[in-house]
Each structure stands twice: as C-alpha cells, then as structure tokens.
Amino acid sequence: MRVKVQDIMTIEVASVNGSTPFKDIAEVLIAHGVSAVPVVDAENHVLGVVSEADLLHKEEFREAYYAEGYKPPLRARLRHRLSEEGPDLQRKASGNTAAQLMTAPAVTVPATASAVLAARRMDEHGIKRLIVVDDDGTLQGVVSRRDLLKAFVRADADIAHELREDVLNRSLLVETADVKVEVHQGVVTLSGCMDRRSRALLAVRLIARVDGVVDVIDKLQWKHDDT
C-alpha cells in the first residue's frame, strides 16, 4: 500500500566528479535545470552534493566585496553562524572544484524506501531532493518533492481497486461485501455496514494511510459496538 522511491524517482541524473571545475558545475546545473548535483567517484559511489547555494557562497564571500567595505546583512551572518555548516562556508567560498565545494556526506535514501520516509527525510534536513543509492552507496537516481506528488495523482479507479483488494479483502480478514468504496479526486467515501465498530474504525485508519488518498469520509455503520 506504499509507493516506493524506486517507483517515482528520476533515473537519468546529471552528476559530476570531485575534480569538476566550478564553472562546469554551474553549467551542468543550468543545462539540466536542477538546483543540485551529486558528486561521484569513478565507481559511481556518491561522495557528496554540490548545490546552487554552495556555488553562491563564493560570490557572497568574495574578498573584493570585503575590500570595498561590503558586509553581509545581519540575517545572513546569523544564519551562517547558527548553521551546522557554518565553519565550512569560507572553505566553500574559496573552493574551485566539486570536492572542495560539495556538502558531504550527502543526504541519501534507498530506492526501496517508502515515499513517506523520503518526505520525512527531506523535511528533517530542510532540502528539496534526496540522492537515491543502493546498499553500497552507488548512485541510482534522485527523488524530489515534485516526484513525491506523483503519489497523489493516481487514478481514482486504481485507488479504489487497491482499497477493495488490499485493505478490505486482505488486511481486515473479515467480511466486507456490504462495504461500498467510492473515490473522487482522491477523497474516499466509505458507506455500508460492518459487523463490529472496531473493524470499521480500523478500516478507516488503514485506508487513510494508502498513498494517493487525500481524505476519508466515514459513513460506515456497524452492528455491534465493541469499542
């Protein structure tokens, strides 16, 4: 009942190696319309990630600006001071290759992980995309916030079929022939009757967890209140 990262990730991914120069990295970002690229070794193992922000540190900390009396705004100075990567900002500002500019280790996710786990990891680290790797850290793809939205654009008929077959008929292990499932724009309406209230409540909870379900309208009735 869970969409996995491998089902929605982008497989064709632009990458750079540790010796890729600053300007070439910028050109890769622009050419592919992405905000970050993984840095890989000769065996395609992920070493880190270079983002637009990593490149812009060079401009922000350019010594010529300081020579002209430039001083970053207070908000920027506080952000850099509080940031976990604060000590690395000057290093990145003086870097000229991907190995010097990258953030390492990269935040990654296995291809077999659920889309929910990927979303939580993005939120935890405050990033918009994750590098997808296999068990030995080899680059497999990239999953972005936009990719995660694919889980919510499933056809209503597909969702209804999954709810009927996987949730009602298999997971509950009770008779659900009298339960009616309707799906419109991802909103599920459950109606009909079940034997016990506890099973009806469980059905609602399980259905709400299915990827693609936006909301559940519970109109179920029951014969016995065993809660």
Side-chain angles (χ1 to χ4, degrees):
M1 295 188 296
R2 290 296 184 183
V3 173
K4 295 184 177 180
V5 169
Q6 62 192 11
D7 301 323
I8 57 177
M9 69 182 187
T10 300
I11 298 176
E12 296 182 5
V13 181
S15 63
V16 298
N17 59 53
S19 61
T20 302
F22 182 103
K23 290 189 66 174
D24 288 353
I25 299 171
E27 290 175 355
V28 170
L29 293 177
I30 294 171
H32 292 270
V34 295
S35 60
V37 289
V39 182
V40 299
D41 62 15
E43 286 75 39
N44 214 33
H45 296 127
V46 177
L47 304 176
V49 176
V50 178
S51 68
E52 294 170 330
D54 293 326
L55 299 185
L56 291 174
H57 287 320
K58 181 176 288 292
E59 188 69 14
E60 186 173 358
F61 285 89
R62 190 179 296 275
E63 190 170 342
Y65 278 37
Y66 289 98
E68 295 169 1
Y70 169 78
K71 190 174 185 179
L74 176 61
R75 181 180 298 177
R77 298 201 306 273
L78 289 175
R79 186 180 71 249
H80 295 155
R81 187 175 302 171
L82 296 174
S83 170
E84 293 181 1
E85 65 170 355
D88 292 334
L89 295 181
Q90 287 286 3
R91 173 184 63 79
K92 293 182 179 182
S94 61
N96 294 311
T97 65
Q100 298 167 334
L101 294 161
M102 70 182 184
T103 298
V107 182
T108 63
V109 66
T112 54
S114 68
V116 172
L117 174 63
R120 289 175 177 172
R121 191 161 295 178
M122 287 183 194
D123 182 62
E124 177 184 354
H125 293 274
I127 54 181
K128 298 179 180 180
R129 57 177 42 83
L130 294 169
I131 308 301
V132 184
V133 296
D134 62 13
D135 293 338
D136 68 350
T138 301
L139 177 65
Q140 298 292 301
V142 170
V143 62
S144 67
R145 289 179 179 175
R146 180 175 299 178
D147 293 326
L148 294 179
L149 291 178
K150 296 176 184 177
F152 291 96
V153 293
R154 301 175 62 195
D156 288 340
D158 292 340
I159 296 174
H161 178 76
E162 180 176 342
L163 298 182
R164 169 58 66 184
E165 296 300 320
D166 292 342
V167 179
L168 297 180
N169 292 348
R170 297 178 185 172
S171 298
L172 290 180
L173 299 176
V174 295
E175 179 58 47
T176 58
D178 293 332
V179 176
K180 184 177 181 181
V181 179
E182 296 178 294
V183 184
H184 179 66
Q185 295 293 314
V187 178
V188 179
T189 300
L190 294 177
S191 58
C193 186
M194 296 184 69
D195 184 58
R196 297 181 180 277
R197 185 182 183 187
S198 61
R199 288 294 179 177
L201 295 173
L202 178 60
V204 173
R205 289 199 299 270
L206 291 177
I207 286 174
R209 295 180 59 196
V210 173
D211 288 314
V213 172
V214 177
D215 195 7
V216 181
I217 300 175
D218 179 11
K219 295 183 179 181
L220 286 173
Q221 297 179 344
W222 55 89
K223 298 177 181 178
H224 307 286
D225 188 349
D226 61 337
T227 58

